[in-house]
């Protein structure tokens, strides 16, 4: 980046927005603008794209870290031609295998890769990649499998060959030798009894003895993994890990040594979907499982929300057993990597196409709203607010599809019920595009002949009750956060239906001519004009006109002037109805 561009970034402020453009599809990104005004950056990007002055635009939010003086970037907008993928040129000094020694296989990235290529084998034996790398008996079983180990090596070598440009055969041979060295190292440690049995030793004493030794992490990993030998099932294994955590030293490096090993096992344990179901309970659907995970990793935040709104307790399952024990430790500040990993797992599931409650569309919106509240409460500790918003924007795309909407309104017996359900859908989706899509569904519903016909012909309700229902629907639409245009169109349509209902029943005329006391007639008409008992539109306008007529009638003006105390209760309604108080 040029010096002038660097200067522009720092002068824009600690939190600002940057606009990058590519003038042609294969061109690199260039900084065009740095500003603290998000709307200005997005508007400029759209204008450059519309005027064909750029093939692609990107707007990012930049936050300056005062400690490192580096900017953390979050992409806000990307439009235009996709970026041309160039073949990566690997320098000669980086063209070798990614793992060169047995110690490299113990890194988190390597363990994650081992977990993927040996997923079936690990699931059959009910263990994790961490345990495989720390238990001699498992290493012997894998070595004896032969073909399965060879297939795993090929799964690693083939994509790596394409990435670094090295022959597949050379990489296969390299990883075969690396695997043999790793297994031999592990078997040697087993023969030398480097992994003591916790049945004969205290975990705290072992941790203190290992302090300062060069292979302390490897040996402690073998001790923790050996303690899980013979324990099957996610719930039982988590319970055993919590027992080990209770037996760990109280503080200092020995405490950290034990907790790090336990946390690594738990991260891989929860990565398997079957283990998560076993820990939380197989009766929970996907949405309830995610809510239980959030409660487990953020117990304080969820408890505070439930204290504010007791209805959340119906949506968030209670965690018990080893999951509750883990939650207590998380609340005490332990296992931060596991908490962040599980929170990001929840975000990934929200962004996936998998339904949260496949057989209950209405319940899916309920649990999604609950997850939105609980995850937002954790923003800043486990997740960023941008990550939470992006996840729910992506999930909202699935809520405005034709299939979901059809399933959502399937149980509605009347079109009014459909309109109320779609209003709730509008309220709970996020993202401008998703709000617009939901608004189109609602607009089509209230603008249909069926809606008007049902409201006009509905039996069991008086015309005044129908107007009250339409007024309530209009108020609900205003609380959905739709764009001004969509909101105005929908409320106008509802108002026209209300105007038809009122015109057929002639409510305002009958009220004006009724023998009721003047104050009572004015109160009813003003409430209609203010939108309390009638939707904004023709019905409210006619009520306002009749109220003005009553106010202007000489006899009524004289009566109000003689008893000004009767006018005081009406002043609030007059202001709401748009009349001078």
């Amino acid at each position: 980046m040029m010096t002038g561009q660097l200067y522009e970034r720092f002068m824009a402020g600690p939190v600002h927005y940057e606009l990058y453009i590519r003038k042609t599809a294969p061109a690199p990104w260039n900084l065009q603008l740095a500003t603290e005004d998000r709307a200005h950056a997005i508007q400029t990007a759209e204008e450059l794209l519309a005027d064909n002055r750029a093939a692609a635009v990107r707007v990012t939010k930049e936050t300056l870290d005062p400690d490192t003086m580096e900017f953390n970037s979050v992409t806000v907008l990307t439009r235009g031609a996709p970026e041309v993928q160039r073949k990566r040129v690997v320098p000669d000094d980086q063209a070798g295998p990614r793992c060169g020694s047995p110690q490299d296989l113990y890194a988190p990235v390597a363990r994650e890769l081992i977990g993927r290529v040996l997923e079936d084998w690990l699931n059959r034996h009910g263990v994790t990649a961490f345990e495989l790398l720390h238990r001699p008996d498992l290493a012997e079983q894998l070595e004896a499998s032969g073909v399965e180990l060879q297939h795993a090596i090929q799964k690693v070598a083939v994509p790596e060959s394409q990435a670094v440009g090295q022959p597949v055969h050379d990489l296969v041979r390299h990883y075969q030798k690396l695997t043999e060295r790793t297994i031999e190292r592990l078997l040697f440690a087993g023969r030398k009894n480097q992994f003591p049995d916790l049945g004969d030793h205290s975990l705290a004493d072992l941790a203190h003895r290992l302090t300062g030794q060069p292979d302390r992490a490897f040996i402690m990993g073998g001790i923790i993994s050996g303690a899980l030998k013979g324990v099957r099932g996610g719930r039982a294994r988590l319970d055993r890990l919590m027992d080990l955590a209770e037996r760990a030293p109280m503080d200092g490096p020995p405490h950290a040594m034990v907790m790090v090993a336990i946390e690594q096992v738990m991260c891989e344990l929860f990565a398997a979907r079957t283990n998560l179901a076993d820990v939380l309970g197989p009766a929970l659907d996907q949405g309830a499982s995610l809510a239980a995970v959030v409660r487990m990793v953020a117990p304080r935040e969820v408890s505070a929300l439930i204290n504010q709104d007791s209805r959340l307790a119906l949506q968030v399952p209670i965690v018990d057993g080893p999951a509750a024990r883990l939650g207590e430790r998380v609340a005490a500040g332990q296992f931060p990597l596991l908490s962040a990993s599980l929170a990001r797992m929840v975000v990934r599931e929200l962004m996936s196409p998998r339904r949260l409650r496949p057989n209950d569309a209405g319940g899916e919106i309920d649990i999604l709203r609950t997850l939105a509240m609980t995850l937002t409460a954790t923003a800043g500790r486990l997740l960023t607010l941008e990550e939470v918003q992006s996840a729910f924007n992506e999930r909202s795309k699935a809520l405005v599809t034709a299939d979901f909407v059809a399933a959502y309104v399937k149980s509605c017996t009347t079109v009014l019920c459909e309109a109320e359900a779609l209003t709730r859908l509008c309220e709970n989706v996020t993202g401008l595009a998703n709000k617009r899509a939901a608004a189109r569904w609602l607009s089509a519903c209230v603008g249909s002949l069926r809606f008007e016909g049902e409201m006009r012909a509905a039996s069991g309700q008086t015309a005044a009750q129908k107007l009250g229902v339409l007024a309530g629907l209009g108020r609900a639409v205003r609380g959905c956060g739709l764009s001004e245009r969509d909101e105005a169109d929908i409320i106008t349509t509802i108002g026209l239906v209300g105007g038809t209902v009122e015109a057929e029943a002639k409510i305002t005329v009958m009220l004006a001519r009724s023998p009721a006391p003047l104050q009572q007639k004015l109160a009813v008409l003003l409430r209609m004009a203010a939108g309390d008992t009638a939707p904004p539109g023709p019905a409210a306008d006619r009520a306002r006109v009749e109220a003005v007529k009553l106010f202007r009638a000489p006899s009524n003006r004289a009566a109000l002037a003689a008893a000004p105390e009767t006018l005081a209760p009406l002043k609030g309604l007059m202001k709401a109805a748009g009349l001078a108080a």
Side-chain angles (χ1 to χ4, degrees):
M1 184 178 292
M2 295 184 297
T3 304
Q5 292 176 330
L6 282 171
Y7 177 77
E8 185 177 355
R9 291 188 74 188
F10 279 94
M11 290 302 293
V15 178
H16 65 275
Y17 299 88
E18 295 181 359
L19 167 60
Y20 292 87
I21 68 169
R22 286 189 287 114
K23 293 188 176 181
T24 60
W29 289 105
N30 289 316
L31 179 64
Q32 180 75 11
L33 173 70
T35 176
E36 296 182 8
D37 189 342
R38 175 189 175 117
H40 175 58
I42 293 177
Q43 182 179 359
T44 305
E46 299 285 4
E47 290 174 354
L48 288 173
L49 203 59
D51 296 341
N52 293 324
R53 287 185 285 166
V57 295
R58 182 174 68 196
V59 177
T60 62
K61 178 183 178 181
E62 305 291 335
T63 304
L64 181 65
D65 188 332
D67 296 328
T68 63
M69 293 305 291
E70 294 181 354
F71 283 98
N72 298 319
S73 179
V74 176
T75 301
V76 176
L77 172 75
T78 302
R79 294 278 192 277
E83 193 168 0
V84 176
Q85 298 295 327
R86 296 179 176 84
K87 186 175 180 180
R88 188 167 67 91
V89 178
V90 181
D92 293 338
D93 59 347
Q94 299 179 12
R98 293 171 180 171
C99 294
S101 66
Q103 287 78 8
D104 294 338
L105 298 179
Y106 289 80
V109 176
R111 292 204 316 271
E112 182 182 356
L113 180 59
I114 292 172
R116 289 202 305 269
V117 298
L118 286 172
E119 182 179 5
D120 293 339
W121 189 91
L122 294 172
N123 288 338
R124 286 201 306 272
H125 290 79
V127 296
T128 64
F130 184 90
E131 295 170 79
L132 172 62
L133 292 168
H134 290 87
R135 277 178 52 182
D137 60 314
L138 293 175
E140 283 186 315
Q141 294 180 46
L142 179 60
E143 187 178 30
S145 67
V147 175
E148 197 149 21
L149 179 58
Q150 184 67 20
H151 285 172
I153 292 174
Q154 291 174 352
K155 290 178 183 178
V156 174
V158 171
E160 186 171 331
S161 171
Q162 296 174 349
V164 303
Q166 193 169 350
V168 175
H169 178 71
D170 292 349
L171 286 172
V172 168
R173 186 167 53 187
H174 167 78
Y175 282 117
Q176 284 176 337
K177 293 180 179 179
L178 180 60
T179 302
E180 292 172 359
R181 291 165 55 195
T182 303
I183 293 176
E184 180 58 33
R185 178 195 183 212
L186 191 54
L187 294 180
F188 177 80
R191 289 193 296 268
K192 292 294 184 179
N193 294 321
Q194 292 184 3
F195 306 133
D197 189 347
L198 291 179
D200 304 323
H201 299 81
S202 166
L203 179 59
D205 290 342
L206 291 174
H208 283 287
R209 292 179 193 174
L210 289 173
T211 302
Q213 295 189 19
D215 288 340
R216 57 187 178 277
F218 173 67
I219 296 174
M220 181 54 67
I223 294 172
I224 297 298
S225 299
L228 295 173
K229 187 175 180 179
V231 183
R232 303 282 300 200
R235 191 178 183 89
R237 289 163 64 78
L238 180 61
D239 203 26
R240 177 65 60 85
L241 289 171
M242 291 297 98
D243 291 340
L244 295 175
E246 292 178 355
R247 296 162 59 184
M250 296 302 296
D251 52 19
H255 172 80
M257 187 192 312
V258 175
M259 289 303 185
V260 166
I262 292 175
E263 187 171 31
Q264 290 175 325
V265 176
M266 287 194 295
C267 285
E268 297 182 9
L269 179 70
F270 280 106
R273 199 184 299 273
T274 54
N275 288 332
L276 186 63
D278 190 25
V279 169
L280 299 176
L284 300 181
D285 57 25
Q286 177 73 349
S289 294
L290 296 183
V293 169
V294 176
R295 186 169 195 166
M296 185 169 61
V297 300
R300 291 180 178 174
E301 291 89 339
V302 173
S303 296
L305 289 173
I306 292 177
N307 290 336
Q308 294 177 3
D309 186 357
S310 59
R311 292 175 296 179
L312 283 178
L314 300 176
Q315 296 293 330
V316 183
I318 297 175
V319 292
D320 57 3
R325 297 172 67 187
L326 174 59
E328 292 174 358
R329 292 191 170 273
V330 169
Q334 299 180 10
F335 306 128
L337 294 179
L338 175 64
S339 301
S341 174
L342 289 175
R344 284 180 168 78
M345 181 273 292
V346 173
V347 168
R348 287 195 304 272
E349 290 295 330
L350 286 174
M351 298 180 72
S352 72
R354 190 180 182 193
R355 287 280 300 272
L356 300 181
R357 289 189 169 162
N359 301 320
D360 185 4
E364 179 147 352
I365 291 181
D366 291 334
I367 194 64
L368 190 63
R369 186 182 183 92
T370 300
L371 288 170
M373 296 175 63
T374 53
L375 283 177
T376 301
T378 68
R381 185 174 70 86
L382 300 178
L383 300 166
T384 65
L385 188 58
E386 287 80 4
E387 287 176 315
V388 176
Q389 291 174 341
S390 297
F392 284 97
N393 288 348
E394 191 67 25
R395 171 59 59 170
S396 293
K397 292 179 182 178
L399 301 184
V400 293
T401 61
D403 291 342
F404 181 85
V405 173
Y408 181 52
V409 301
K410 184 178 180 181
S411 60
C412 294
T413 56
T414 64
V415 69
L416 177 61
C417 175
E418 290 185 16
E420 291 172 343
L422 292 173
T423 302
R424 185 164 175 268
L425 179 65
C426 290
E427 179 185 2
N428 286 280
V429 298
T430 60
L432 294 176
N434 299 322
K435 287 282 188 182
R436 292 192 194 102
R440 285 194 292 269
W441 286 109
L442 179 57
S443 179
C445 177
V446 298
S448 65
L449 291 175
R450 180 186 168 206
F451 182 81
E452 180 180 349
E454 185 176 292
M455 293 306 301
R456 293 170 62 184
S459 58
Q461 285 185 322
T462 64
Q465 290 173 331
K466 296 176 187 177
L467 291 178
V469 169
L470 292 173
L473 183 61
R475 288 192 295 271
V477 171
R478 287 197 185 91
C480 291
L482 302 177
S483 66
E484 293 183 6
R485 180 178 177 180
D486 290 335
E487 179 182 300
D489 289 345
I490 294 172
I491 291 178
T492 299
T493 303
I494 295 173
L496 292 175
V497 175
T500 303
V501 172
E502 191 280 330
E504 291 180 347
K506 299 180 180 180
I507 295 176
T508 56
V509 175
M510 293 175 61
L511 279 172
R513 296 177 181 177
S514 68
L518 176 61
Q519 183 182 9
Q520 183 178 350
K521 290 192 293 184
L522 286 173
V524 174
L525 289 171
L526 290 174
R527 290 188 64 192
M528 290 179 63
D532 289 346
T533 56
D541 294 341
R542 285 193 285 267
R544 188 178 298 106
V545 170
E546 292 296 336
V548 170
K549 288 181 180 179
L550 288 177
F551 275 119
R552 290 180 176 176
S555 58
N556 294 338
R557 294 177 65 179
L560 293 172
E565 68 278 1
T566 62
L567 188 60
L570 301 177
K571 289 185 176 181
L573 291 174
M574 293 171 64
K575 185 176 181 180
L579 301 177

